[in-house]
Amino acid sequence: MYQIAIIIFDDFTDIDFFLLRDILGRSQKDWAVKILGTKPSHISTLGMEVKTDGHVAEASEADVVLFSSGYKGIPAALNNNEFMASLKLDPQNQLIGSICAGAFILAKLGLLDGITATTHPDAKSALEAEGIYVLDKALVVHGNLATAGGCLSQLYLTGWLAERLYGVDKRREIHRQLIPAGQSETFETLISRTLSEA
């Protein structure tokens, strides 16, 4: 069974975490999801408390590592020496992804050096100031690294993950309850095209 780590911190963006956790939580037989942080619990931007399952250092043992976002939480996380020093990731052997401003963590770790990435449009110029070439795309993939831009691009990030681990049918399975009624063909076309062009 694959081990998936979702990384959070104080002032994480609620939808970026909760939607990611919900989508991945729909499958419990193929992977196990752990929430990792630097404290026993972290508080979201809107004041929701989320208990963690372990310390962020445990991310090095996961098969998949996904970073949440937060317009206030990310700057603080980047300046948290304990947080950053604990991240020992291996893009050769781990799938690593981010949503929106989570890409700044990947950038600071040097994982985006020499490659393109994406983030939320509001954060594009700031990420470019870090020397990253940012594309106006919902999902950008380079090997085992994926960055997604915009909260609803979780469909693409989780779709990429599911297809990488188990194939198209698994992706459709975890998304089945999310797709609006009467629009399954529309979303299938959109998701499959986005993944193929990532």
Side-chain angles (χ1 to χ4, degrees):
M1 177 180 287
Y2 291 105
Q3 300 297 315
I4 299 177
I6 300 178
I7 310 299
I8 61 171
F9 33 78
D10 285 333
D11 284 313
F12 63 86
T13 299
D14 292 69
I15 191 172
D16 286 343
F17 167 73
F18 289 110
L19 184 55
L20 181 63
R21 179 66 182 93
D22 184 88
I23 294 173
L24 295 177
R26 294 170 185 270
S27 177
Q28 299 179 1
K29 64 180 185 297
D30 296 316
W31 52 59
V33 179
K34 294 180 72 173
I35 311 305
L36 304 181
T38 56
K39 302 189 300 187
S41 65
H42 287 285
I43 307 298
S44 76
T45 299
L46 298 182
M48 296 289 289
E49 180 179 11
V50 173
K51 294 181 179 179
T52 57
D53 300 308
H55 192 271
V56 67
E58 297 175 32
S60 63
E61 304 168 6
D63 301 295
V64 180
V65 181
L66 302 173
F67 289 91
S68 187
S69 185
Y71 70 95
K72 291 193 296 184
I74 286 291
L78 293 173
N79 288 307
N80 182 329
N81 291 332
E82 176 192 359
F83 179 83
M84 293 304 302
S86 296
L87 292 169
K88 309 296 184 185
L89 305 182
D90 180 5
Q92 298 301 314
N93 295 298
Q94 294 175 296
L95 298 181
I96 302 170
S98 66
I99 182 71
C100 295
F104 284 85
I105 298 174
L106 302 188
K108 188 162 184 177
L109 292 172
L111 299 178
L112 301 182
D113 291 351
I115 63 174
T116 56
T118 189
T119 187
H120 190 280
D122 290 349
K124 179 181 179 180
S125 60
L127 188 57
E128 287 178 330
E130 297 296 322
I132 308 301
Y133 185 71
V134 183
L135 301 178
D136 290 319
K137 296 178 65 174
L139 183 72
V140 174
V141 175
H142 293 280
N144 289 342
L145 288 170
T147 53
C151 300
L152 295 185
S153 64
Q154 297 279 20
L155 279 175
Y156 310 123
L157 182 62
T158 56
W160 165 77
L161 172 59
E163 287 199 15
R164 281 292 303 269
L165 296 181
Y166 290 106
V168 174
D169 288 344
K170 185 64 177 178
R171 186 258 295 169
R172 291 173 178 154
E173 175 191 324
I174 67 170
H175 288 165
R176 186 179 61 82
Q177 293 178 314
L178 303 174
I179 305 302
Q183 295 187 347
S184 59
E185 290 185 9
T186 300
F187 273 86
E188 176 60 29
T189 299
L190 180 61
I191 293 171
S192 60
R193 185 176 71 234
T194 300
L195 294 181
S196 68
E197 294 176 351

